[in-house]
Amino acid sequence: MTPTRYAIGFLCAFGLASTAIGGPRETLVDRYAAAAKAADPGFSGFSAARGETLHRTQHNTGKADTPACTSCHGNDARSAGHTRTRKPIEPMALSVSPARYKDAAKVEKWFKRNCDEVLGRECTPLEKGDWLAYMTNQ
């Protein structure tokens, strides 16, 4: 076997191992998937389209000044948003903010706060996974 073939074999094996191990974001998504599957045995995966709908819909079930995720995060997830007090919010899209969604405690903190404000309740694991699928595809 030539050195080039060894290198290709190593890179392929490393790529497969990295996929199998996953990072903190993948671990979080796996946790949401397990919870979604436990809640609904028919769960077949997260949907970026459902996540986009969740993000853009005017729910009107939470706080009056935050009826949708877009109230603070704007219509383009690749652009910065701002809080009601005008404090800037970094873009939500993973393509623009690649460090996002790696700290599970931080992600949960913001899901709890923002879902309560927008929906008037906690988000389900399915909603969290769908929303993350939308943001990772932006």
Side-chain angles (χ1 to χ4, degrees):
M1 187 177 265
T2 67
T4 302
R5 287 187 177 192
Y6 276 117
I8 291 171
F10 173 77
L11 291 173
C12 289
F14 181 75
L16 290 175
S18 294
T19 301
I21 294 170
R25 188 178 308 116
E26 291 79 11
T27 301
L28 183 61
V29 170
D30 288 347
R31 195 173 78 204
Y32 292 148
K37 182 82 174 174
D40 177 7
F43 170 74
S44 61
F46 295 119
S47 162
R50 285 191 311 251
E52 182 176 10
T53 299
L54 175 67
H55 185 76
R56 295 185 182 284
T57 298
Q58 300 283 317
H59 299 280
N60 300 317
T61 52
K63 292 186 175 179
D65 61 344
T66 55
C69 301
T70 56
S71 303
C72 294
H73 297 290
N75 287 320
D76 184 354
R78 293 167 289 195
S79 297
H82 57 82
T83 66
R84 294 282 146 221
T85 60
R86 309 302 296 169
K87 181 180 172 187
I89 302 172
E90 294 294 316
M92 302 306 291
L94 197 58
S95 63
V96 181
S97 301
R100 280 196 179 270
Y101 317 118
K102 290 183 176 179
D103 181 338
K106 195 172 181 180
V107 171
E108 279 299 310
K109 169 190 159 187
W110 287 109
F111 267 133
K112 175 161 182 26
R113 184 177 296 177
N114 293 339
C115 292
D116 284 344
E117 287 190 16
V118 172
L119 300 173
R121 62 171 173 78
E122 286 190 36
C123 286
T124 67
L126 179 66
E127 290 169 328
K128 292 175 185 178
D130 286 345
W131 191 86
L132 284 173
Y134 173 57
M135 289 304 153
T136 56
N137 286 317
Q138 292 298 295

